Structures are given as C-alpha cells and as structure tokens.
Amino acid sequence: MHVPDGFIDAPVSVAAGVFAAGAVAVSLRGARRELDERTAPLAGLVAAFIFAVQMLNFPVAAGTSGHLMGGALAAILVGPYTAVLCLSVVLLMQGIFFADGGLTALGVNITVMGVVTVVVAYGVFRLLTGLLPRTRRSATASAFVAALVSVPASAAAFTLLYWIGGTTDIPIGKVFTAMVGVHVLIGIGEAVITALTVGAVLAVRPDLVHGVQGALTAPLKLRVDGELVDAPAPTREPEPATAHRSNRGFLITGLVSAFLLAGFVSFYASASPDGLERVAADQGIDEKAEEHGAADSPLADYGVGDIANARLSGGLAGVIGVSATVVVGTGVFWVVRRRREDERGGPARSDRENA
C-alpha cells in the first residue's frame, strides 16, 4: 500500500511528514533500549527481509494482489521502536531508488505503513500474550492476529488522511469500505507470513524474539509462610562464544533467504495491482496522481534499466535492493547501539576510566 504522489494534498502531506519525522526521532531514542550487539545485526536483517518479501505480491481477489507490510513482523522480532526505523529504512530505499511510493508522500507512507501497523500490531500482540498461556504456540497465534488486525488498521489510517486531504472528491464512505474490505483479505496473507516467520524464529532462537522476552515461561513460585511468592530471578552467566557463532549462522541463513526471495522467487509474484492501486482505479482516487520523482532511476519498478531479460533484470534489482537495505539498516542500528553504549559508559570508556 505505497501511496503515490498526488493522492494527498500538500498541506496534509507536509503534516504527515512532520509526524513521521517526530515518530522516527522518538524511535531513534527508544531503539537504544532495544538494541544491543546481538539484536542490532538482526534489525538490519529484518529490514532487508521485509524489503525482499514486499516484492512478493500474492493474489487476494480477482485482479487484485497484496504484499507484506511488515510492521507486525518487525515489532515482534526487534521491538516497536526499532520496527518503526526498519520500515522507515525500507520505505526510504523503495521511494528513492525503486520509484515505489511517492517522494512527497514519504511521510504519509511512514505514518500509515510504518507507525500505524507497528503500534497496532505490537499492542495487540502484547495484549494477547498477556492473556494466553505462555507457550510458543500461543505466541505464534498472537502474531497471526496482530498482523491480521494491523493491515486494515493501516487502510483505515490512509482513509482518514484521504478524508482530510484527498485530491479528488470521492465519498469517503466508499473509500473506507473498499480500502478496509480489500485489506482485510491482504491482512490474512500478512498474518500467515508473519506467523510462519515468527514461529520459525521461535523454534530455533526464541531468545532473539523481542516480543516474547520473559513471556514464554511463568515465573518460578516459592511457598513462604504458606504464601506463594515469586522466586528471585536467576543470575545470568556470560554467554559462551558458541552463542555468537550460532547467531552469526542464523543471520547468514536469514540473509541468504532474503536474497533468494528477492532475486528468484519475486519473479513469480502476482502482477495484479495491489489493494490501494485497485481501489484507486475503481474509485477514481488516482485522477490526480503525479509521475514519481525517481521515475528515471535505473532501478525504477524493480528492474535494472539496461537489462532486457525481465527475469534477470528483476532478480538483480531485488539483490541490489536487499544489499542496500541491509547495509543502510545495519549502519543505522549500529550507530544507535553505539549511542547507547556511549550513554552508559561503553567498554572503551570504561577501560579508560579503569586505566
């Protein structure tokens, strides 16, 4: 649901841009509490994986397709603040290099696809994991529901912005019904992808899933003077070097999967317009759509301009996109992590003080 330029007027686009910038600024600070030396590389991988999977449009109805938004997946895996940054990096890369999502509408897209999906999904996920039994199966089911709810919530948020600043005179009731209706169907696909991915990570590395930290096992109880009280938390020992090696293997596996999805599987994605494009065409929202500012990019429309073979062109563009996203994303998260260490008196600073 990448909003192009021209759907929303300039004042609302600017307001959405200001809101998105504020959300990113808050997320930069909040992500310092979520990122450490293990999770910072994972966040870069999550951004690259979302970029790759967003290339895989799946059919949801006759002549309509959908794709992963990724807010729920990112929030559950790396935390809500880091998730907003992940989606912002993905949307920025798509808008600048691939002409996907308008440049003047970047704030709208970050707000609708990055902030709303993350906030709604993470809130639903934490609510459900607090109510359901503390098991991996419950966490996976909670991820399914959270992702399912987040997509129509994002569609409703777009409808609200269109009601305030839409550039065409279309009855808002029709827009709301069409947008939410088709995005409920897309939400099912999003929920399946999110649940499968979260379930797979839970099966091999549950310690890397931010949303379930401390939530899969009930606290140990002790009976003291006839009353049950929480037992003291066990002291954590330093992780052995083997944990870092296995973490490296997990990251390599995830990155290879992203390359395969973007470079090969994406060729078989549905060519039908996505939910927003279909609704825009049917309802006349796209009457004042503008040409993308990066339409002349050599990677526009997820293809390499000088390569005639469609399979090779699209696959190479996908590989370039994943590579650029993981480099930019990892760089951003590394800087955020370093800021956290500097604020707490990181290893280098501690060594100087001890000397």
Side-chain angles (χ1 to χ4, degrees), residues 298-309 312-318 320:
L299 297 173
D301 297 324
Y302 298 94
V304 178
D306 295 332
I307 299 179
N309 185 287
L312 179 60
S313 176
L316 183 57
I320 293 172

Side-chain angles (χ1 to χ4, degrees), residues 168-245:
T168 55
D169 187 17
I170 308 296
I172 196 63
K174 290 184 177 180
V175 176
F176 178 82
T177 301
M179 282 294 293
V180 173
V182 72
H183 282 87
V184 167
L185 299 178
I186 295 173
I188 296 173
E190 174 110 6
V192 170
I193 295 171
T194 301
L196 289 175
T197 306
V198 170
V201 178
L202 283 173
V204 295
R205 291 300 301 271
D207 59 304
L208 294 179
V209 181
H210 176 90
V212 300
Q213 289 179 0
L216 289 184
T217 55
L220 180 64
K221 297 286 186 178
L222 296 178
R223 187 174 295 278
V224 178
D225 296 331
E227 296 184 1
L228 289 176
V229 298
D230 291 340
T235 302
R236 293 186 62 184
E237 298 180 357
E239 295 183 1
T242 54
H244 294 282
R245 287 198 295 269

Side-chain angles (χ1 to χ4, degrees), residues 6 24 39 104 151 163 232 239 310 334:
V24 169
T39 56
T104 62
V151 176
W163 179 51
E239 295 183 1
W334 182 84

Side-chain angles (χ1 to χ4, degrees), residues 2-350:
H2 294 74
V3 182
D5 295 324
F7 279 25
I8 307 295
D9 64 21
V12 175
S13 294
V14 170
V18 172
F19 175 83
V24 169
V26 171
S27 297
L28 283 169
R29 177 170 292 275
R32 297 177 195 174
R33 300 191 298 270
E34 297 172 344
L35 294 171
D36 55 32
E37 63 179 6
R38 293 186 313 151
T39 56
L42 176 63
L45 173 61
V46 168
F49 185 80
I50 289 173
F51 179 95
V53 180
Q54 284 195 359
M55 294 181 65
L56 309 180
N57 280 46
F58 48 84
V60 295
T64 307
S65 69
H67 62 73
L68 181 82
M69 290 191 187
L73 178 62
I76 294 167
L77 290 181
V78 294
Y81 295 108
T82 306
V84 171
L85 300 181
C86 283
L87 269 295
S88 298
V89 168
V90 171
L91 291 167
L92 184 64
M93 301 299 291
Q94 291 171 333
I96 292 177
F97 297 108
F98 296 88
D100 191 10
L103 296 180
T104 62
L106 181 61
V108 173
N109 283 314
I110 291 177
T111 299
V112 171
M113 295 180 62
V115 179
V116 172
T117 58
V118 167
V119 171
V120 172
Y122 196 69
V124 171
F125 181 79
R126 295 295 293 180
L127 175 63
L128 292 177
T129 52
L131 297 174
L132 297 175
R134 298 184 176 187
T135 65
R136 292 179 184 175
R137 183 174 297 180
S138 295
T140 303
S142 299
F144 182 95
V145 176
L148 176 62
V149 174
S150 70
V151 176
S154 178
F158 166 79
T159 305
L160 175 62
L161 291 178
Y162 184 80
W163 179 51
I164 300 172
T167 55
T168 55
D169 187 17
I170 308 296
I172 196 63
K174 290 184 177 180
V175 176
F176 178 82
T177 301
M179 282 294 293
V180 173
V182 72
H183 282 87
V184 167
L185 299 178
I186 295 173
I188 296 173
E190 174 110 6
V192 170
I193 295 171
T194 301
L196 289 175
T197 306
V198 170
V201 178
L202 283 173
V204 295
R205 291 300 301 271
D207 59 304
L208 294 179
V209 181
H210 176 90
V212 300
Q213 289 179 0
L216 289 184
T217 55
L220 180 64
K221 297 286 186 178
L222 296 178
R223 187 174 295 278
V224 178
D225 296 331
E227 296 184 1
L228 289 176
V229 298
D230 291 340
T235 302
R236 293 186 62 184
E237 298 180 357
E239 295 183 1
T242 54
H244 294 282
R245 287 198 295 269
S246 63
N247 195 40
R248 190 178 302 116
F250 176 83
L251 294 173
I252 291 173
T253 300
L255 187 58
V256 170
S257 299
F259 279 128
L260 288 175
L261 291 172
F264 178 73
V265 181
S266 63
F267 181 78
Y268 301 97
S270 172
S272 299
D274 69 15
L276 175 59
E277 291 172 331
R278 171 58 64 187
V279 172
D282 291 345
Q283 302 295 329
I285 295 175
D286 58 355
E287 290 180 1
K288 295 187 179 180
E290 301 173 1
E291 184 180 12
H292 199 286
D296 294 331
S297 167
L299 297 173
D301 297 324
Y302 298 94
V304 178
D306 295 332
I307 299 179
N309 185 287
R311 184 190 297 269
L312 179 60
S313 176
L316 183 57
V319 169
I320 293 172
V322 168
S323 301
T325 303
V326 76
V327 169
V328 173
T330 302
V332 170
F333 301 127
W334 182 84
V335 170
V336 173
R337 181 179 70 84
R338 291 293 299 176
R339 289 290 301 274
R340 172 187 177 182
E341 289 183 355
D342 291 343
E343 288 180 351
R344 296 186 176 184
R349 183 173 165 186
S350 298

